[in-house]
Amino acid sequence: MDIEKILDKLKEWLNRLADALFGPQTQPEHEPIPIPVDDRCIR
C-alpha cells in the first residue's frame, strides 16, 4: 500500500474519531448575497 493512501486513511479515521468525541467541525457561515434594491421614488 502506498504511504500517501495510508496517511489519507489515518487522517479520515482521526477526523471520524474527533467528530465522535467532540461533535462535527463547525463550518464557516455563508455570507449573505447582497441584493440590489432600487430605492428611488417613482413619481
Side-chain angles (χ1 to χ4, degrees), residues 18-42:
D19 286 348
L21 293 175
F22 307 115
Q25 295 179 0
T26 59
Q27 299 293 326
E29 292 186 22
H30 297 287
E31 293 186 26
I33 300 172
I35 300 173
V37 176
D38 186 11
D39 60 352
R40 294 178 287 179
C41 294
I42 301 173

PDB file of all heavy atoms in Angstrom, residues 18-42:
ATOM      1  N   ALA A  18     -12.505  12.359  16.050  1.00  0.00           N
ATOM      2  CA  ALA A  18     -12.693  13.700  16.604  1.00  0.00           C
ATOM      3  C   ALA A  18     -14.161  14.107  16.527  1.00  0.00           C
ATOM      4  O   ALA A  18     -14.692  14.713  17.461  1.00  0.00           O
ATOM      5  CB  ALA A  18     -11.810  14.704  15.864  1.00  0.00           C
ATOM      6  N   ASP A  19     -14.835  13.785  15.416  1.00  0.00           N
ATOM      7  CA  ASP A  19     -16.268  14.090  15.284  1.00  0.00           C
ATOM      8  C   ASP A  19     -17.079  13.339  16.333  1.00  0.00           C
ATOM      9  O   ASP A  19     -18.020  13.877  16.916  1.00  0.00           O
ATOM     10  CB  ASP A  19     -16.778  13.743  13.884  1.00  0.00           C
ATOM     11  CG  ASP A  19     -16.319  14.720  12.829  1.00  0.00           C
ATOM     12  OD1 ASP A  19     -15.793  15.798  13.193  1.00  0.00           O
ATOM     13  OD2 ASP A  19     -16.495  14.412  11.637  1.00  0.00           O
ATOM     14  N   ALA A  20     -16.714  12.088  16.589  1.00  0.00           N
ATOM     15  CA  ALA A  20     -17.450  11.295  17.567  1.00  0.00           C
ATOM     16  C   ALA A  20     -17.235  11.819  18.987  1.00  0.00           C
ATOM     17  O   ALA A  20     -18.160  11.842  19.792  1.00  0.00           O
ATOM     18  CB  ALA A  20     -17.012   9.831  17.478  1.00  0.00           C
ATOM     19  N   LEU A  21     -16.027  12.281  19.277  1.00  0.00           N
ATOM     20  CA  LEU A  21     -15.729  12.750  20.626  1.00  0.00           C
ATOM     21  C   LEU A  21     -16.192  14.183  20.874  1.00  0.00           C
ATOM     22  O   LEU A  21     -16.713  14.497  21.935  1.00  0.00           O
ATOM     23  CB  LEU A  21     -14.226  12.657  20.893  1.00  0.00           C
ATOM     24  CG  LEU A  21     -13.636  11.255  20.956  1.00  0.00           C
ATOM     25  CD1 LEU A  21     -12.126  11.331  21.110  1.00  0.00           C
ATOM     26  CD2 LEU A  21     -14.238  10.471  22.105  1.00  0.00           C
ATOM     27  N   PHE A  22     -15.976  15.052  19.906  1.00  0.00           N
ATOM     28  CA  PHE A  22     -16.199  16.482  20.125  1.00  0.00           C
ATOM     29  C   PHE A  22     -17.333  17.063  19.301  1.00  0.00           C
ATOM     30  O   PHE A  22     -17.615  18.250  19.382  1.00  0.00           O
ATOM     31  CB  PHE A  22     -14.924  17.266  19.791  1.00  0.00           C
ATOM     32  CG  PHE A  22     -13.706  16.745  20.503  1.00  0.00           C
ATOM     33  CD1 PHE A  22     -12.664  16.190  19.800  1.00  0.00           C
ATOM     34  CD2 PHE A  22     -13.612  16.811  21.886  1.00  0.00           C
ATOM     35  CE1 PHE A  22     -11.537  15.710  20.444  1.00  0.00           C
ATOM     36  CE2 PHE A  22     -12.492  16.336  22.544  1.00  0.00           C
ATOM     37  CZ  PHE A  22     -11.450  15.786  21.823  1.00  0.00           C
ATOM     38  N   GLY A  23     -17.978  16.258  18.474  1.00  0.00           N
ATOM     39  CA  GLY A  23     -19.025  16.768  17.590  1.00  0.00           C
ATOM     40  C   GLY A  23     -18.411  17.189  16.265  1.00  0.00           C
ATOM     41  O   GLY A  23     -17.202  17.337  16.141  1.00  0.00           O
ATOM     42  N   PRO A  24     -19.250  17.390  15.260  1.00  0.00           N
ATOM     43  CA  PRO A  24     -18.728  17.752  13.947  1.00  0.00           C
ATOM     44  C   PRO A  24     -18.043  19.121  13.972  1.00  0.00           C
ATOM     45  O   PRO A  24     -18.368  19.978  14.788  1.00  0.00           O
ATOM     46  CB  PRO A  24     -19.959  17.777  13.046  1.00  0.00           C
ATOM     47  CG  PRO A  24     -21.129  17.799  13.951  1.00  0.00           C
ATOM     48  CD  PRO A  24     -20.691  17.282  15.281  1.00  0.00           C
ATOM     49  N   GLN A  25     -17.093  19.297  13.062  1.00  0.00           N
ATOM     50  CA  GLN A  25     -16.388  20.571  12.971  1.00  0.00           C
ATOM     51  C   GLN A  25     -17.355  21.643  12.494  1.00  0.00           C
ATOM     52  O   GLN A  25     -18.227  21.390  11.671  1.00  0.00           O
ATOM     53  CB  GLN A  25     -15.232  20.462  11.980  1.00  0.00           C
ATOM     54  CG  GLN A  25     -14.155  19.509  12.420  1.00  0.00           C
ATOM     55  CD  GLN A  25     -13.043  19.405  11.394  1.00  0.00           C
ATOM     56  OE1 GLN A  25     -13.083  20.054  10.358  1.00  0.00           O
ATOM     57  NE2 GLN A  25     -12.052  18.584  11.675  1.00  0.00           N
ATOM     58  N   THR A  26     -17.170  22.829  13.024  1.00  0.00           N
ATOM     59  CA  THR A  26     -18.044  23.925  12.619  1.00  0.00           C
ATOM     60  C   THR A  26     -17.662  24.400  11.229  1.00  0.00           C
ATOM     61  O   THR A  26     -16.492  24.475  10.876  1.00  0.00           O
ATOM     62  CB  THR A  26     -17.950  25.099  13.604  1.00  0.00           C
ATOM     63  OG1 THR A  26     -16.601  25.549  13.664  1.00  0.00           O
ATOM     64  CG2 THR A  26     -18.408  24.695  14.984  1.00  0.00           C
ATOM     65  N   GLN A  27     -18.671  24.693  10.458  1.00  0.00           N
ATOM     66  CA  GLN A  27     -18.464  25.219   9.115  1.00  0.00           C
ATOM     67  C   GLN A  27     -18.620  26.730   9.163  1.00  0.00           C
ATOM     68  O   GLN A  27     -19.483  27.244   9.871  1.00  0.00           O
ATOM     69  CB  GLN A  27     -19.498  24.628   8.145  1.00  0.00           C
ATOM     70  CG  GLN A  27     -19.431  23.127   8.026  1.00  0.00           C
ATOM     71  CD  GLN A  27     -18.150  22.657   7.373  1.00  0.00           C
ATOM     72  OE1 GLN A  27     -17.611  23.318   6.503  1.00  0.00           O
ATOM     73  NE2 GLN A  27     -17.649  21.514   7.822  1.00  0.00           N
ATOM     74  N   PRO A  28     -17.799  27.459   8.416  1.00  0.00           N
ATOM     75  CA  PRO A  28     -17.975  28.907   8.412  1.00  0.00           C
ATOM     76  C   PRO A  28     -19.333  29.279   7.835  1.00  0.00           C
ATOM     77  O   PRO A  28     -19.829  28.640   6.915  1.00  0.00           O
ATOM     78  CB  PRO A  28     -16.844  29.414   7.520  1.00  0.00           C
ATOM     79  CG  PRO A  28     -16.421  28.235   6.721  1.00  0.00           C
ATOM     80  CD  PRO A  28     -16.752  27.014   7.528  1.00  0.00           C
ATOM     81  N   GLU A  29     -19.951  30.301   8.423  1.00  0.00           N
ATOM     82  CA  GLU A  29     -21.252  30.722   7.937  1.00  0.00           C
ATOM     83  C   GLU A  29     -21.098  31.392   6.582  1.00  0.00           C
ATOM     84  O   GLU A  29     -20.143  32.129   6.342  1.00  0.00           O
ATOM     85  CB  GLU A  29     -21.899  31.704   8.920  1.00  0.00           C
ATOM     86  CG  GLU A  29     -22.280  31.048  10.228  1.00  0.00           C
ATOM     87  CD  GLU A  29     -23.050  32.002  11.117  1.00  0.00           C
ATOM     88  OE1 GLU A  29     -23.628  32.970  10.598  1.00  0.00           O
ATOM     89  OE2 GLU A  29     -23.056  31.759  12.327  1.00  0.00           O
ATOM     90  N   HIS A  30     -22.039  31.124   5.720  1.00  0.00           N
ATOM     91  CA  HIS A  30     -22.013  31.737   4.406  1.00  0.00           C
ATOM     92  C   HIS A  30     -22.405  33.195   4.520  1.00  0.00           C
ATOM     93  O   HIS A  30     -23.304  33.556   5.281  1.00  0.00           O
ATOM     94  CB  HIS A  30     -22.977  31.018   3.456  1.00  0.00           C
ATOM     95  CG  HIS A  30     -22.606  29.582   3.220  1.00  0.00           C
ATOM     96  ND1 HIS A  30     -21.545  29.202   2.454  1.00  0.00           N
ATOM     97  CD2 HIS A  30     -23.151  28.425   3.685  1.00  0.00           C
ATOM     98  CE1 HIS A  30     -21.447  27.891   2.437  1.00  0.00           C
ATOM     99  NE2 HIS A  30     -22.410  27.384   3.185  1.00  0.00           N
ATOM    100  N   GLU A  31     -21.722  34.034   3.757  1.00  0.00           N
ATOM    101  CA  GLU A  31     -22.073  35.448   3.759  1.00  0.00           C
ATOM    102  C   GLU A  31     -23.295  35.637   2.888  1.00  0.00           C
ATOM    103  O   GLU A  31     -23.414  35.025   1.820  1.00  0.00           O
ATOM    104  CB  GLU A  31     -20.918  36.280   3.220  1.00  0.00           C
ATOM    105  CG  GLU A  31     -19.703  36.277   4.123  1.00  0.00           C
ATOM    106  CD  GLU A  31     -18.624  37.234   3.642  1.00  0.00           C
ATOM    107  OE1 GLU A  31     -18.959  38.223   2.956  1.00  0.00           O
ATOM    108  OE2 GLU A  31     -17.463  36.965   3.937  1.00  0.00           O
ATOM    109  N   PRO A  32     -24.235  36.481   3.333  1.00  0.00           N
ATOM    110  CA  PRO A  32     -25.422  36.706   2.511  1.00  0.00           C
ATOM    111  C   PRO A  32     -25.052  37.411   1.206  1.00  0.00           C
ATOM    112  O   PRO A  32     -24.121  38.207   1.154  1.00  0.00           O
ATOM    113  CB  PRO A  32     -26.310  37.593   3.382  1.00  0.00           C
ATOM    114  CG  PRO A  32     -25.388  38.200   4.382  1.00  0.00           C
ATOM    115  CD  PRO A  32     -24.235  37.252   4.555  1.00  0.00           C
ATOM    116  N   ILE A  33     -25.778  37.064   0.170  1.00  0.00           N
ATOM    117  CA  ILE A  33     -25.552  37.681  -1.135  1.00  0.00           C
ATOM    118  C   ILE A  33     -26.302  39.005  -1.169  1.00  0.00           C
ATOM    119  O   ILE A  33     -27.510  39.033  -0.929  1.00  0.00           O
ATOM    120  CB  ILE A  33     -26.046  36.758  -2.271  1.00  0.00           C
ATOM    121  CG1 ILE A  33     -25.294  35.436  -2.219  1.00  0.00           C
ATOM    122  CG2 ILE A  33     -25.895  37.435  -3.624  1.00  0.00           C
ATOM    123  CD1 ILE A  33     -25.846  34.394  -3.162  1.00  0.00           C
ATOM    124  N   PRO A  34     -25.596  40.102  -1.429  1.00  0.00           N
ATOM    125  CA  PRO A  34     -26.301  41.389  -1.474  1.00  0.00           C
ATOM    126  C   PRO A  34     -27.259  41.443  -2.663  1.00  0.00           C
ATOM    127  O   PRO A  34     -26.916  41.046  -3.772  1.00  0.00           O
ATOM    128  CB  PRO A  34     -25.178  42.416  -1.616  1.00  0.00           C
ATOM    129  CG  PRO A  34     -23.991  41.668  -2.082  1.00  0.00           C
ATOM    130  CD  PRO A  34     -24.172  40.228  -1.676  1.00  0.00           C
ATOM    131  N   ILE A  35     -28.460  41.904  -2.401  1.00  0.00           N
ATOM    132  CA  ILE A  35     -29.467  42.020  -3.447  1.00  0.00           C
ATOM    133  C   ILE A  35     -29.663  43.505  -3.729  1.00  0.00           C
ATOM    134  O   ILE A  35     -29.992  44.269  -2.813  1.00  0.00           O
ATOM    135  CB  ILE A  35     -30.801  41.384  -3.017  1.00  0.00           C
ATOM    136  CG1 ILE A  35     -30.577  39.898  -2.721  1.00  0.00           C
ATOM    137  CG2 ILE A  35     -31.877  41.593  -4.079  1.00  0.00           C
ATOM    138  CD1 ILE A  35     -31.779  39.211  -2.134  1.00  0.00           C
ATOM    139  N   PRO A  36     -29.431  43.933  -4.967  1.00  0.00           N
ATOM    140  CA  PRO A  36     -29.601  45.353  -5.263  1.00  0.00           C
ATOM    141  C   PRO A  36     -31.068  45.760  -5.123  1.00  0.00           C
ATOM    142  O   PRO A  36     -31.973  45.040  -5.513  1.00  0.00           O
ATOM    143  CB  PRO A  36     -29.124  45.486  -6.716  1.00  0.00           C
ATOM    144  CG  PRO A  36     -29.160  44.121  -7.260  1.00  0.00           C
ATOM    145  CD  PRO A  36     -29.036  43.152  -6.119  1.00  0.00           C
ATOM    146  N   VAL A  37     -31.267  46.914  -4.511  1.00  0.00           N
ATOM    147  CA  VAL A  37     -32.616  47.420  -4.291  1.00  0.00           C
ATOM    148  C   VAL A  37     -32.706  48.783  -4.948  1.00  0.00           C
ATOM    149  O   VAL A  37     -31.877  49.657  -4.728  1.00  0.00           O
ATOM    150  CB  VAL A  37     -32.916  47.548  -2.781  1.00  0.00           C
ATOM    151  CG1 VAL A  37     -34.285  48.172  -2.559  1.00  0.00           C
ATOM    152  CG2 VAL A  37     -32.800  46.204  -2.108  1.00  0.00           C
ATOM    153  N   ASP A  38     -33.728  48.953  -5.758  1.00  0.00           N
ATOM    154  CA  ASP A  38     -33.957  50.251  -6.376  1.00  0.00           C
ATOM    155  C   ASP A  38     -34.850  51.044  -5.439  1.00  0.00           C
ATOM    156  O   ASP A  38     -36.056  50.860  -5.376  1.00  0.00           O
ATOM    157  CB  ASP A  38     -34.625  50.051  -7.756  1.00  0.00           C
ATOM    158  CG  ASP A  38     -34.756  51.352  -8.513  1.00  0.00           C
ATOM    159  OD1 ASP A  38     -34.167  52.376  -8.092  1.00  0.00           O
ATOM    160  OD2 ASP A  38     -35.474  51.345  -9.538  1.00  0.00           O
ATOM    161  N   ASP A  39     -34.233  51.950  -4.666  1.00  0.00           N
ATOM    162  CA  ASP A  39     -34.988  52.691  -3.670  1.00  0.00           C
ATOM    163  C   ASP A  39     -35.383  54.088  -4.146  1.00  0.00           C
ATOM    164  O   ASP A  39     -35.744  54.936  -3.335  1.00  0.00           O
ATOM    165  CB  ASP A  39     -34.216  52.766  -2.357  1.00  0.00           C
ATOM    166  CG  ASP A  39     -32.875  53.446  -2.512  1.00  0.00           C
ATOM    167  OD1 ASP A  39     -32.471  53.727  -3.651  1.00  0.00           O
ATOM    168  OD2 ASP A  39     -32.228  53.700  -1.473  1.00  0.00           O
ATOM    169  N   ARG A  40     -35.306  54.328  -5.426  1.00  0.00           N
ATOM    170  CA  ARG A  40     -35.742  55.630  -5.954  1.00  0.00           C
ATOM    171  C   ARG A  40     -37.274  55.694  -5.932  1.00  0.00           C
ATOM    172  O   ARG A  40     -37.952  54.703  -6.190  1.00  0.00           O
ATOM    173  CB  ARG A  40     -35.262  55.811  -7.389  1.00  0.00           C
ATOM    174  CG  ARG A  40     -33.738  55.903  -7.504  1.00  0.00           C
ATOM    175  CD  ARG A  40     -33.333  56.025  -8.936  1.00  0.00           C
ATOM    176  NE  ARG A  40     -33.550  54.693  -9.549  1.00  0.00           N
ATOM    177  CZ  ARG A  40     -33.332  54.400 -10.810  1.00  0.00           C
ATOM    178  NH1 ARG A  40     -32.917  55.329 -11.644  1.00  0.00           N
ATOM    179  NH2 ARG A  40     -33.525  53.192 -11.276  1.00  0.00           N
ATOM    180  N   CYS A  41     -37.787  56.862  -5.616  1.00  0.00           N
ATOM    181  CA  CYS A  41     -39.237  57.047  -5.591  1.00  0.00           C
ATOM    182  C   CYS A  41     -39.734  57.227  -7.017  1.00  0.00           C
ATOM    183  O   CYS A  41     -39.135  57.924  -7.820  1.00  0.00           O
ATOM    184  CB  CYS A  41     -39.592  58.289  -4.773  1.00  0.00           C
ATOM    185  SG  CYS A  41     -39.178  58.107  -3.033  1.00  0.00           S
ATOM    186  N   ILE A  42     -40.828  56.581  -7.321  1.00  0.00           N
ATOM    187  CA  ILE A  42     -41.447  56.712  -8.635  1.00  0.00           C
ATOM    188  C   ILE A  42     -42.489  57.821  -8.540  1.00  0.00           C
ATOM    189  O   ILE A  42     -43.389  57.767  -7.718  1.00  0.00           O
ATOM    190  CB  ILE A  42     -42.099  55.391  -9.090  1.00  0.00           C
ATOM    191  CG1 ILE A  42     -41.055  54.291  -9.139  1.00  0.00           C
ATOM    192  CG2 ILE A  42     -42.776  55.566 -10.434  1.00  0.00           C
ATOM    193  CD1 ILE A  42     -41.621  52.914  -9.417  1.00  0.00           C
TER     194      ILE A  42
END
